[in-house]
Amino acid sequence: MISGVKFGTNLYRFPSFGPELEPMVEFVKLSEQLGFDRLRLLDHVVGIVAERHGGIAETPYTDKSTIREVFTLMAYLSAITTRIHFVTGVLGLPQRQTVLAAKQAAEVDILSGGRLTLGVAVGYNPLEFDAMGASFPDRGKRFEEQIDVMRRLWTEPDVSYDGQWHKFADVSLSPRPVQRPIPLFFGLGRKIAPIPPDVVLKRVGRLADGWLPIFKPGPEGKAAVATMEQAAVEAGRDPKAIVMEMTLDVSGMDRDAVLDHVRTMRDFGVHHVNFSLPGASAAEHIDALKRLADMLAGARD
């Protein structure tokens, strides 16, 4: 395999393939068997009737999407796999009750033997926040406090907290996770705005263990990375320790093109490449996974 980078797959297309569980399970098991290191899973608790809401229709996940509850699904998948790591891509954290989310993540980490990376983001859809009884305008600052609360709950046996949004005394999570703390990767940007604002990039540098940017290697992406890294330095952190996981859509690519893109991403600083695959059905998607594995087999620098 190409040195210095790990490979992952995702379940992003399965919401459009229908409610059947068996094809998804086949895809997950095959991903592990073929040697992929990571699997990304979606989080949307509700879909929206997008056509009734103007600009917010800029979401690929609607009332017509079949999206399973992510913690329950990971708990199930952890029992039928042994090696592949699970990455939420991404959990809308400010929609959720913080301590409960920390507890759920800890349990999945235990059930999987320490195979969880919790990808989290502030969210973009106010309709989802309304449905969850959560406040949308202050989600960014609340998110930062949530990160602090969760890490403390995962690592300390006795936690008291007096913040703006979280106030409690003398509580603990038992059992605590295998990983202390569980890695927190930040999702950021959208297809309509892949380069996020500086405040978001700086949050990654200050607080994240890793990040899941959707921009591409190139001058704009390089400038975004520089902003993140400068914020890390100012916070007394090593920016090179912040893991970057980026997606590569291989639709229409041959083997040489795939490998060239992977090397470009690796040289850009990407640690994990998450592959997006073609396919109008689950069966076609699974075939595309097999073809990708064949492309990557025996690849060397």
Side-chain angles (χ1 to χ4, degrees), residues 113-161:
R115 290 187 281 140
L116 175 63
T117 293
L118 200 64
V120 292
V122 299
Y124 63 87
N125 190 333
L127 298 175
E128 293 183 46
F129 278 73
D130 291 345
M132 298 284 284
S135 171
F136 185 77
D138 60 3
R139 66 196 187 283
K141 287 294 184 182
R142 193 166 74 257
F143 174 88
E144 296 189 12
E145 191 169 291
Q146 287 181 294
I147 297 300
D148 187 35
V149 170
M150 295 175 83
R151 284 189 173 133
R152 291 193 57 188
L153 288 169
W154 289 332
T155 58
E156 299 176 21
D158 180 357
V159 181
S160 297
Y161 204 92

Side-chain angles (χ1 to χ4, degrees), residues 35-249:
F36 290 93
D37 298 288
R38 300 163 75 77
L39 176 79
R40 277 205 215 169
L41 302 96
L42 290 164
D43 173 59
H44 285 278
V45 177
V46 296
I48 65 164
V49 185
E51 59 269 20
R52 297 179 187 169
H53 294 281
I56 202 62
E58 292 285 351
T59 175
Y61 306 111
T62 70
D63 59 310
K64 299 174 180 63
S65 305
T66 302
I67 304 178
R68 300 181 184 277
E69 200 286 313
V70 68
F71 285 117
T72 309
L73 180 59
M74 289 190 294
Y76 172 77
L77 294 176
S78 71
I80 61 172
T81 56
T82 60
R83 184 191 55 78
I84 200 163
H85 285 244
F86 304 117
V87 184
T88 54
V90 289
L91 191 82
L93 190 57
Q95 300 174 2
R96 294 176 179 263
Q97 204 282 336
T98 310
V99 178
L100 177 58
K103 178 71 172 180
Q104 292 170 310
E107 190 66 22
V108 169
D109 196 58
I110 292 165
L111 292 172
S112 66
R115 290 187 281 140
L116 175 63
T117 293
L118 200 64
V120 292
V122 299
Y124 63 87
N125 190 333
L127 298 175
E128 293 183 46
F129 278 73
D130 291 345
M132 298 284 284
S135 171
F136 185 77
D138 60 3
R139 66 196 187 283
K141 287 294 184 182
R142 193 166 74 257
F143 174 88
E144 296 189 12
E145 191 169 291
Q146 287 181 294
I147 297 300
D148 187 35
V149 170
M150 295 175 83
R151 284 189 173 133
R152 291 193 57 188
L153 288 169
W154 289 332
T155 58
E156 299 176 21
D158 180 357
V159 181
S160 297
Y161 204 92
D162 185 16
Q164 184 173 353
W165 291 278
H166 302 82
K167 297 181 185 294
F168 53 82
D170 307 322
V171 305
S172 65
L173 287 186
S174 181
R176 281 178 284 159
V178 174
Q179 302 176 96
R180 300 185 185 178
I182 295 168
L184 287 165
F185 282 27
F186 291 5
L188 65 168
R190 298 180 62 198
K191 287 184 177 180
I192 59 174
I195 303 292
D198 282 0
V199 65
V200 177
L201 295 167
K202 291 178 180 179
R203 183 185 294 136
V204 174
R206 290 187 292 108
L207 299 175
D209 299 307
W211 57 325
L212 309 166
I214 65 170
F215 54 73
K216 305 300 182 184
E220 288 186 327
K222 186 175 181 180
V225 171
T227 298
M228 182 281 291
E229 290 184 340
Q230 181 60 37
V233 171
E234 292 172 357
R237 308 179 70 208
D238 177 6
K240 299 306 181 185
I242 300 173
V243 177
M244 189 190 308
E245 181 171 323
M246 193 173 282
T247 295
L248 175 62
D249 187 344

Side-chain angles (χ1 to χ4, degrees), residues 220-290:
E220 288 186 327
K222 186 175 181 180
V225 171
T227 298
M228 182 281 291
E229 290 184 340
Q230 181 60 37
V233 171
E234 292 172 357
R237 308 179 70 208
D238 177 6
K240 299 306 181 185
I242 300 173
V243 177
M244 189 190 308
E245 181 171 323
M246 193 173 282
T247 295
L248 175 62
D249 187 344
V250 300
S251 300
M253 290 189 189
D254 62 15
R255 183 176 187 270
D256 288 343
V258 169
L259 297 182
D260 285 347
H261 277 81
V262 169
R263 292 186 179 104
T264 297
M265 295 170 86
R266 188 268 314 273
D267 295 344
F268 185 72
V270 173
H271 302 86
H272 303 150
V273 176
N274 171 65
F275 291 102
S276 178
L277 302 168
S281 67
E284 291 180 5
H285 203 56
I286 289 167
D287 286 343
L289 177 65
K290 296 174 182 176

